[in-house]
Amino acid sequence: MAILPTNLARVSNQLRANTSLNQIQRTQSQLLRVQNQMTTGRKINVPSDDPGAATIAAQIRKTLEKREAYANNLRSATNTLSEVDATLGDMSNLILEAEQLASANIGDASTQAERESAATVVKSIFSQLLTLGNKSFEGSYLFAGDKLDQPPFEEYAGGVRFLGSETPLKNDFDESTVGEFQVNGASVWGALSTRIESSVDSSPSVTGATRIRDLKGASTEGVRLGVISISNGSTTASVNLTDADTMQDVVNAINNAGVGTVTASINGAGDGVQISGGAGENLTVVDIGGGRTARDLGIFT
């Protein structure tokens, strides 16, 4: 690169000066571009350096960014599925432990105390399994599918119900590859299996000692305890049955409410509670706060 002399024959001094200045500026611009290339180690620093090559470089950069995004998706999917695998391993261990407890307490070899102790352990295993089913990873529930706003499992009516989705989340792993990076929680946990029922009615005959949780209730969904209202037409009282454990607790709570001559007892057929009032009393029993206790006990009227 050099500054060459200019043929200035038969031209004005102003033109001579302008021509020389333009040539110097072009040379300085070229020198600056070369210096930038040497400093940055890049041939193209601005698109005007080489428009054609700049276009190609932009396309390559875009392709590299997409590839990096696909790589991130693959890493995230790998981490999520590894967490799922570890969780399912923990679940299998807990189920195996429950099976061993059940096998150890079959027959007359175990005492009542041992069975009660085993039942406590099984209850703990149940809680641990529920926690595993609601496990989250990087802000998403592992088994909730595309419903990310709530845990997929909750205790309900003495069991567990599934609130998640059967549709696992998906992501792009290549220009033409879309894959799931979750498992179907409903399938893995058997969440939507039908209820297993015996062909024989094994409901116990109701006594005062019968535990409420052992009853199937009037709607066959168990007895959901809450608050009921009892009135004889002139006196009304709220009866809180939330902490009732046995049917005798229910009877006592109603009798202690002091609603006229209204009394509760286990009926003669041994299949529920009966409530009686005196002559002229207009008996009313309803649930409070959207509960189902009176309906489940069969005394809603």
Side-chain angles (χ1 to χ4, degrees):
M1 183 179 300
I3 301 177
L4 301 176
T6 304
N7 185 3
L8 302 177
R10 296 183 181 182
V11 295
S12 66
N13 291 334
Q14 181 67 37
L15 179 58
R16 292 177 183 178
N18 290 341
T19 302
S20 297
L21 181 60
N22 289 337
Q23 186 169 344
I24 291 172
Q25 289 176 340
R26 285 196 300 271
T27 302
Q28 288 179 330
S29 177
Q30 293 172 357
L31 179 60
L32 178 61
R33 183 165 59 250
V34 172
Q35 289 175 335
N36 286 338
Q37 290 174 347
M38 294 177 64
T39 301
T40 61
R42 295 182 296 183
K43 180 180 179 181
I44 304 173
N45 290 285
V46 292
S48 60
D49 289 343
D50 189 338
T55 301
I56 295 174
Q59 292 175 343
I60 293 175
R61 185 180 297 110
K62 184 177 181 180
T63 300
L64 291 175
E65 290 175 351
K66 290 176 65 176
R67 292 294 180 182
E68 181 62 25
Y70 293 142
N72 289 335
N73 290 345
L74 285 169
R75 283 192 289 269
S76 178
T78 299
N79 293 337
T80 299
L81 292 175
S82 296
E83 192 68 20
V84 168
D85 186 63
T87 302
L88 294 180
D90 294 339
M91 178 187 74
S92 297
N93 292 336
L94 289 172
I95 293 176
L96 180 61
E97 182 180 352
E99 290 178 345
Q100 292 172 344
L101 280 172
S103 299
N105 287 276
I106 293 176
D108 299 329
S110 58
T111 64
Q112 180 65 25
E114 290 173 337
R115 291 179 180 177
E116 291 177 355
S117 176
T120 301
V121 175
V122 170
K123 186 176 181 179
S124 174
I125 291 174
F126 173 83
S127 297
Q128 293 178 66
L129 287 171
L130 186 61
T131 300
L132 289 176
N134 289 329
K135 190 173 184 179
S136 62
F137 179 72
E138 294 184 347
S140 300
Y141 290 103
L142 292 175
F143 304 104
D146 58 10
K147 288 186 177 180
L148 305 179
D149 59 340
Q150 62 183 2
F153 298 98
E154 73 169 9
E155 291 190 60
Y156 176 75
V160 177
R161 66 177 175 180
F162 181 64
L163 301 176
S165 169
E166 296 182 79
T167 305
L169 292 176
K170 299 180 180 180
N171 215 334
D172 295 324
F173 301 119
D174 206 337
E175 287 84 352
S176 58
T177 303
V178 178
E180 298 175 350
F181 64 94
Q182 287 184 323
V183 297
N184 186 333
S187 175
V188 169
W189 292 85
L192 301 180
S193 62
T194 57
R195 178 178 294 180
I196 300 175
E197 297 181 345
S198 171
S199 59
V200 178
D201 186 355
S202 57
S203 298
S205 178
V206 177
T207 67
T210 301
R211 304 188 71 176
I212 296 174
R213 69 181 184 183
D214 293 333
L215 301 175
K216 65 180 180 180
S219 61
T220 72
E221 294 183 359
V223 177
R224 291 156 285 192
L225 295 176
V227 181
I228 64 175
S229 174
I230 299 179
S231 174
N232 68 346
S234 59
T235 303
T236 301
S238 296
V239 182
N240 190 346
L241 299 177
T242 305
D243 296 327
D245 181 51
T246 66
M247 290 299 291
Q248 190 61 48
D249 292 337
V250 173
V251 170
N252 292 341
I254 294 174
N255 290 338
N256 292 335
V259 180
T261 61
V262 174
T263 58
S265 61
I266 305 299
N267 65 25
D271 59 3
V273 177
Q274 69 179 21
I275 298 180
S276 305
E281 290 185 312
N282 184 17
L283 188 60
T284 302
V285 182
V286 296
D287 289 298
I288 295 180
R292 301 280 305 179
T293 307
R295 291 176 175 84
D296 290 342
L297 289 172
I299 57 175
F300 181 88
T301 180

